Amino acid sequence: MASRIERDPSADYRRLHAAYQQSLRYAEDVRRLYHQMQRAICQSLLGLANALEAKDSYTRGHSERVAALGRRVASALGLAPSLVDVVGQAGLLHDIGKIGVPEAILRKPGPLSPEEWHVMRAHPAIGAQIVAPFEFFEGAARAIRHHHERWDGSGYPDGLAREAIPLEARIVAVVDVFDALTSARSYRPALDRDAACAMLRQEAGHTLDETVVAALLGVIELDDR
Ligand SMILES: [Fe+2]
């Protein structure tokens, strides 16, 4: 009589469990590599943004401040952590498209001619194109493209208004204005924080999203406590 080979169920279970553990380790490796790659690309793009800022001492540190404050405003508005990251990326890279704008226009001390404005106004779309090839910057690319749209529809490049403007872009827009106002420019000194906040309040509901302005003012107030 042929003997039956008994299978050991606990051995099957151990093999299955080992295979499962192995697949978890692979998934973790892939996840880690993905984040490393994302960080490396972000750092390369940040290098480009820093190179851009180095051309103009008045904007030095601007992108990193917009990213840091933008993240805090996004959190205050209750955005999901992944969207807070999008705001941070877009804050860092929002003006990267200025790489495509000639230095003579970027550094011009006087007012720009209509033709020069035309070139300058291309920077959000150029910036979005620069980051577009990276799939994980999809949200950031959208926020970069729309960071000069205005709540009342008077901005560029697409003249979007109100909620049609992505929220991440509305956040970058408000923080960008605040940081620009509180930084010295070649044509004016820096405003103090209270004066800058007063200007934001004036623009709230007109060129800037009121809700985002309120969130920024709340974040700034927290710093005083
Ligand atoms: Fe810009």
Side-chain angles (χ1 to χ4, degrees):
M1 198 165 78
S3 65
R4 264 179 60 213
I5 299 171
E6 290 288 334
R7 288 179 69 87
D8 176 1
S10 64
D12 280 350
Y13 172 78
R14 280 196 301 275
R15 272 194 295 275
L16 195 63
H17 184 69
Y20 174 68
Q21 291 295 325
Q22 185 65 36
S23 69
L24 281 186
R25 280 193 291 275
Y26 285 147
E28 178 57 26
D29 286 349
V30 169
R31 195 191 65 79
R32 206 178 49 247
L33 284 171
Y34 180 81
H35 283 289
Q36 277 173 359
M37 189 173 68
Q38 196 173 10
R39 243 194 330 268
I41 292 170
C42 200
Q43 277 163 357
S44 309
L45 291 173
L46 181 58
L48 276 180
N50 287 341
L52 174 76
E53 290 188 355
K55 291 202 291 188
D56 181 359
S57 58
Y58 285 102
T59 60
R60 199 159 294 158
H62 170 72
S63 303
E64 297 198 27
R65 289 195 299 272
V66 171
L69 188 53
R71 289 183 66 94
R72 294 179 66 198
V73 172
S75 297
L77 284 165
L79 268 69
S82 61
L83 293 179
V84 173
D85 286 344
V86 166
V87 171
Q89 292 160 356
L92 274 184
L93 303 171
H94 67 285
D95 273 343
I96 200 161
K98 285 185 178 172
I99 280 170
V101 177
E103 221 170 304
I105 296 178
L106 282 182
R107 304 184 68 160
K108 188 173 174 181
L112 299 181
S113 70
E115 296 75 28
E116 289 166 338
W117 260 120
H118 184 74
V119 176
M120 185 66 130
R121 285 160 63 110
H123 82 269
I126 297 172
Q129 279 169 9
I130 290 173
V131 303
F134 307 107
E135 206 179 299
F136 43 71
F137 282 145
E138 195 187 342
R142 205 167 37 245
I144 291 168
R145 179 176 177 89
H146 296 297
H147 79 275
H148 281 293
E149 305 286 1
R150 290 176 170 175
W151 184 248
D152 60 8
S154 65
Y156 59 92
D158 298 319
L160 300 183
R162 305 174 72 89
E163 281 86 4
I165 308 168
L167 176 56
E168 298 88 323
R170 282 181 263 148
I171 295 171
V172 172
V174 169
V175 179
D176 187 23
V177 169
F178 176 76
D179 191 77
L181 289 173
T182 51
S183 304
R185 289 288 183 265
S186 53
Y187 48 88
R188 59 153 176 80
L191 289 186
D192 68 35
R193 221 181 49 175
D194 289 347
C197 288
M199 285 192 75
L200 288 189
R201 276 191 204 95
Q202 271 176 18
E203 290 303 318
H206 300 289
T207 59
L208 301 175
D209 180 346
E210 203 167 8
T211 313
V212 177
V213 170
L216 172 64
L217 296 175
V219 165
I220 290 170
E221 263 172 39
L222 278 179
D223 289 341
D224 289 339
R225 288 187 195 158

